[in-house]
Amino acid sequence: MASLLAFDPYATDWLNLLFRWLHVVAGIVWIGSSFYFIALDNHLRPPEDAGDAEAGVGGEAWEIHGGGFYNIQKYLVAPRVLPETLHWFKWEAYTTWLSGFALMIVLYYLNADTYLIDKNVADLTTGEAIAISVGLLAAAWVVYDLLCRSLGSRPLVLAAILLGLITIAAWGVGHLFSGRATYLQIGAMLGTMMVGNVFFVIIPAHWELVRAKEARREPDPAANARAKLRSVHNN
């Protein structure tokens, strides 16, 4: 199947179109929802109703959009009782990464000799180039996550180290792949770090809060802090 797609421009073009637009639309939704919640946090005000504050509401905002008024409340940790329907924001991130990786497969892995490898840069085989590319995606998340866990309380130091490592990675990848592939590889590494935040940190922290409430336990505010920190990083 891989060889068929690699040598079938018609199939490749259609897959390229499908995954590219899915990636673009999902990315817009992910970034848009992330920016919305950052803006929402910045506009929260102390609740006007004393009862809301006693119930754990840390802030609220009134908004108008689409012909209606919205009163949005944010709890410091969790509400006393979980609502029957709870909307999660995760598939925007997962769809963005999965469609982007599928696009990399269609364009760069199945056509590695054309788009991924430049013999004038590095004399790599197809297998070597693909293995390095995938390995760098995994390494980006592992290194970033370890740094966050050890330097999370020192954001400026963490930011400086990450900037340095990304710069070194861009220089190194530029000596492995074609110029076009270099840009895509670094972008994919950053995207992997972002979706890793969602999959490995933010959503598990949310589940920790939910399961604590379901078990009638007081949720640990540390879960809120972990999720908030990585969400800020993504933005």
Side-chain angles (χ1 to χ4, degrees), residues 18-184:
L18 172 65
F19 291 131
R20 184 178 298 274
W21 278 104
L22 178 60
H23 184 60
V24 169
V25 172
I28 291 172
V29 175
W30 183 15
I31 294 171
S33 61
S34 295
F35 280 8
Y36 169 73
F37 279 105
I38 290 292
L40 177 61
D41 278 349
N42 290 336
H43 288 85
L44 290 176
R45 297 291 181 269
E48 296 181 1
D49 190 332
D52 289 337
E54 293 176 1
V57 175
E60 67 177 359
W62 282 91
E63 301 178 351
I64 184 170
H65 181 75
F69 293 88
Y70 298 81
N71 180 213
I72 301 172
Q73 297 179 322
K74 180 178 181 178
Y75 288 79
L76 290 174
V77 180
R80 292 174 179 172
V81 179
L82 287 179
E84 182 176 346
T85 301
L86 185 62
H87 296 284
W88 293 70
F89 290 83
K90 57 183 179 179
W91 287 109
E92 302 92 337
Y94 298 163
T95 303
T96 300
W97 191 89
L98 289 171
S99 59
F101 188 67
L103 192 57
M104 284 192 70
I105 292 175
V106 170
L107 289 183
Y108 288 88
Y109 295 168
L110 296 182
N111 298 281
D113 289 336
T114 302
Y115 296 117
L116 184 61
I117 299 171
D118 184 344
K119 295 294 185 180
N120 295 320
V121 175
D123 189 13
L124 300 173
T125 66
T126 297
E128 290 171 342
I130 294 173
I132 292 172
S133 175
V134 174
L136 286 173
L137 296 181
W141 162 251
V142 171
V143 172
Y144 163 76
D145 185 53
L146 290 174
L147 286 172
C148 283
R149 293 176 186 275
S150 60
L151 297 172
S153 60
R154 304 170 66 187
L156 293 180
V157 175
L158 175 61
I161 292 175
L162 287 174
L163 177 60
L165 290 177
I166 292 170
T167 302
I168 293 171
W171 176 84
V173 172
H175 286 75
L176 291 171
F177 302 145
S178 69
R180 172 174 169 172
T182 296
Y183 284 102
L184 267 294

